[in-house]
Amino acid sequence: MANWQQILRKSITTVDQLIELFGEENIDREAVQEAVDRFNLRITPAVLAQIKGDGVTFWQQYVPSPDENEVLDGIVDSLAEDDDSPVPNITHRYPDRVLFLISPVCASYCRFCTRRRKVGDPEKIPLNQFDSAFRYLQEHTEVRDVILSGGDPFMLSDRRLEFFLKKLRAIPHIEVIRIHTRIPLHLPERITADLCKVIARYHPVFVNIHFNHPAELTPATEKALAKLANAGCPLGSQTVLLKGVNDDPETMKELMQKLLKNRVRPYYLYMADPVAGAEHFRTGVEKGLEIMKALRGWTSGLAVPHFCIDAPGGGGKIPLLPNYVEEISDDEVVLRNYAGELYRYPLPKELVLASLL
Ligand SMILES: *Cc1c(COP(=O)(O)O)cnc(C)c1O
């Protein structure tokens, strides 16, 4: 059986290959080449099988589009991650946790990538500058949670990944390590027994997987998730609301329920970031609120993610909720339940008295 590196080498990486597969009538050579010049192309065999099978949702996510060349008001570094970067590869925005980019590459490139300005470019996620990052983490004793991302951390070899996990575990104030990945769907073969053994030596290691559509949970992907869960990793997921891919409540509900069945706890649902080159994926915010309303109460609370906007300019993640509070008066709160019915919650009498004094 081929190992994961060999399978990765069978990926599609050129416009010629796309034309060969999908025909000149579906791939505008010049425009698609321009899109690829701006942001890498790679489609693994697992993703290609999905494009052929499930069609539009995967095509949109992975096949470069001429729309990527249209920049209206998209921003290159929309989350201002580089402004909050004290040393290369680290973004420190919140009080007690940091984002640590340890791999410049992904198995497949999502066309809506927020970090498309640097992902795929080893010069922008430099692999020879980790000393300053480790020193920063050692010195900043307030950091108790480190999020490994990139690129995709599971693109590293087992040995290289273990190097990072070991270094981080040697820092006493780091309590939690998270790995952010899309490998379980891009390259499920990468989730080997050996990889799971490496991870299990450094717990607690949370693994957050980016899933956008229920069809992404193929049998191979589900098997990879089970291996990670059995290795003791709490699994979470992040989803981006994408026009034409998952912007409807039924698709989202199916996705969240399917994740839960695979021991993956839905964590965040994001509005698409206003990234230059990915603006054609954006939806209105009402769509996200409509989806949240269709989840909360109608299915397991465990299947309901937090809906957030990652504020442009570096404000961090800001939660959005449908409005469930009709009115707050001195003696009661008027609430609307998931089905739209009104309920009154009486406030404690002492509070009412106190406010009279
Ligand atoms: C999302 C993010 C985190 C983690 O935020 P949580 O809400 O704890 O998941 C940390 N740092 C940066 C820069 C982030 O974008």
Side-chain angles (χ1 to χ4, degrees), residues 157-169:
S157 67
D158 291 357
R159 260 186 59 196
R160 189 73 180 151
L161 188 68
E162 179 150 28
F163 161 83
F164 283 102
L165 294 173
K166 197 178 211 159
K167 284 274 228 190
L168 293 174
R169 271 289 161 251

Side-chain angles (χ1 to χ4, degrees), residues 63-307:
V63 179
S65 152
D67 291 338
E68 294 174 35
N69 306 327
E70 305 295 323
V71 178
L72 302 170
D73 41 23
I75 308 160
V76 173
D77 178 12
S78 78
L79 305 180
E81 289 184 331
D82 295 340
D83 296 346
D84 277 344
S85 178
V87 294
N89 300 325
I90 294 260
T91 295
H92 193 177
R93 166 162 305 153
Y94 293 108
D96 64 346
R97 55 212 187 277
V98 301
L99 177 67
F100 185 9
L101 306 185
I102 62 170
S103 163
V105 290
C106 290
S108 294
Y109 291 105
C110 310
R111 305 318 298 175
F112 51 89
C113 183
T114 287
R115 227 169 268 140
R116 64 191 344 264
R117 71 186 184 282
K118 52 168 64 174
V119 164
D121 185 347
E123 284 184 12
K124 292 187 181 152
I125 301 181
L127 291 176
N128 53 358
Q129 291 186 20
F130 290 118
D131 288 349
S132 59
F134 285 122
R135 206 173 318 120
Y136 183 87
L137 293 172
Q138 273 155 2
E139 286 167 3
H140 287 258
T141 54
E142 73 277 19
V143 175
R144 33 163 300 289
D145 179 359
V146 175
I147 296 152
L148 301 178
S149 187
D152 199 314
F154 285 151
M155 286 292 276
L156 302 176
S157 67
D158 291 357
R159 260 186 59 196
R160 189 73 180 151
L161 188 68
E162 179 150 28
F163 161 83
F164 283 102
L165 294 173
K166 197 178 211 159
K167 284 274 228 190
L168 293 174
R169 271 289 161 251
I171 302 174
H173 52 267
I174 293 177
E175 297 168 2
V176 169
I177 297 172
R178 311 190 218 179
I179 296 176
H180 278 204
T181 179
R182 249 196 139 179
I183 284 272
L185 59 146
H186 289 167
L187 192 64
E189 302 84 355
R190 170 69 187 102
I191 309 299
T192 60
D194 285 345
L195 174 70
C196 292
K197 267 189 228 152
V198 167
I199 297 172
R201 287 199 276 272
Y202 300 93
H203 276 317
V205 179
F206 286 63
V207 177
N208 260 317
I209 307 115
H210 177 154
F211 281 109
N212 293 330
H213 193 277
E216 290 166 5
L217 289 136
T218 62
T221 296
E222 291 187 318
K223 222 169 104 192
L225 294 173
K227 283 188 194 165
L228 289 168
N230 291 343
C233 301
L235 303 182
S237 81
Q238 317 207 104
T239 299
V240 183
L241 180 54
L242 299 170
K243 188 147 96 191
V245 174
N246 58 13
D247 56 340
D248 81 275
E250 274 315 303
T251 305
M252 282 290 191
K253 191 157 95 183
E254 194 190 335
L255 169 62
M256 301 308 162
Q257 290 172 341
K258 222 164 165 184
L259 287 170
L260 207 56
K261 239 169 74 183
N262 284 284
R263 290 183 277 173
V264 182
R265 170 80 158 93
Y267 182 44
Y268 279 134
L269 168 64
Y270 294 114
M271 282 297 286
D273 293 323
V275 180
E279 295 172 81
H280 52 295
F281 285 105
R282 300 180 65 200
T283 67
V285 77
E286 300 80 7
K287 184 51 78 178
L289 291 170
E290 180 197 338
I291 288 166
M292 292 307 290
K293 263 193 197 161
L295 293 175
R296 171 64 64 198
W298 297 100
T299 191
S300 315
L302 283 173
V304 182
H306 306 285
F307 176 41

